[in-house]
Amino acid sequence: MAKYLLLKHYRGAPAPANDVPMEKWTPEEISAHMRYMQDFAAKLEKTGEFVDSQALIPEGTWVRYDGEGRPPVTDGPFAETKDLIAGWMIIDVDSYERALELAGELSAAPGAGGKPIHEWLELRPFMTAHADCITE
């Protein structure tokens, strides 16, 4: 088994698909999306492939060590990941191919109008003591 991080992004979908930002969804559409995520996790719990997941709110603070006796830096020229990272799921699967299959399924979560959002997901393998580099 290998663990993978499915990193959910706020980037939205390709423009011709269902590129309606979540802040423009109805409460019912948000509920349907969250229910899909919960059902997906429950399905993976039954197969033993689910490890953990969390949704994230957009607000966040970057923190960086700034030297001995100095307060941490909390502002600067940082990438705005709070605008990109919506949440994550960790899976434990038998193969990279299975991880791709599950990421594709998760990308089909419903959004505006109940249609799949074609959400961008970043698939990242966990580093292990004997990690194989995946360069695909």
Side-chain angles (χ1 to χ4, degrees):
M1 300 289 279
K3 289 184 180 164
Y4 289 88
L5 173 69
L6 301 175
L7 191 58
K8 296 171 61 57
H9 288 272
Y10 282 119
R11 288 181 175 169
N18 192 0
D19 195 19
V20 179
M22 189 179 244
E23 63 267 11
K24 294 184 180 180
W25 296 0
T26 66
E28 295 79 17
E29 291 167 340
I30 292 171
S31 292
H33 180 81
M34 299 307 290
R35 191 170 41 257
Y36 181 95
M37 301 301 296
Q38 292 164 348
D39 291 347
F40 185 80
K43 180 182 86 168
L44 295 184
E45 283 177 350
K46 289 179 183 172
T47 64
E49 296 173 308
F50 179 81
V51 176
D52 197 8
S53 68
Q54 285 294 322
L56 301 173
I57 62 172
E59 291 78 28
T61 302
W62 279 94
V63 178
R64 179 180 59 88
Y65 173 75
D66 200 34
E68 191 65 39
R70 299 175 74 175
V73 174
T74 58
D75 193 16
F78 307 120
E80 290 295 327
T81 57
K82 64 185 176 188
D83 294 336
L84 295 177
I85 300 172
W88 49 267
M89 180 176 283
I90 298 171
I91 57 175
D92 196 357
V93 295
D94 288 329
S95 67
Y96 176 70
E97 291 73 22
R98 177 65 175 154
L100 284 176
E101 177 186 340
L102 292 175
E105 187 177 337
L106 189 59
S107 173
K115 297 177 185 172
I117 58 174
H118 301 264
E119 177 180 36
W120 286 105
L121 294 172
E122 185 176 351
L123 179 62
R124 303 271 306 268
F126 275 38
M127 184 178 287
T128 62
H130 305 288
D132 295 325
C133 290
I134 297 175
T135 58
E136 297 183 39

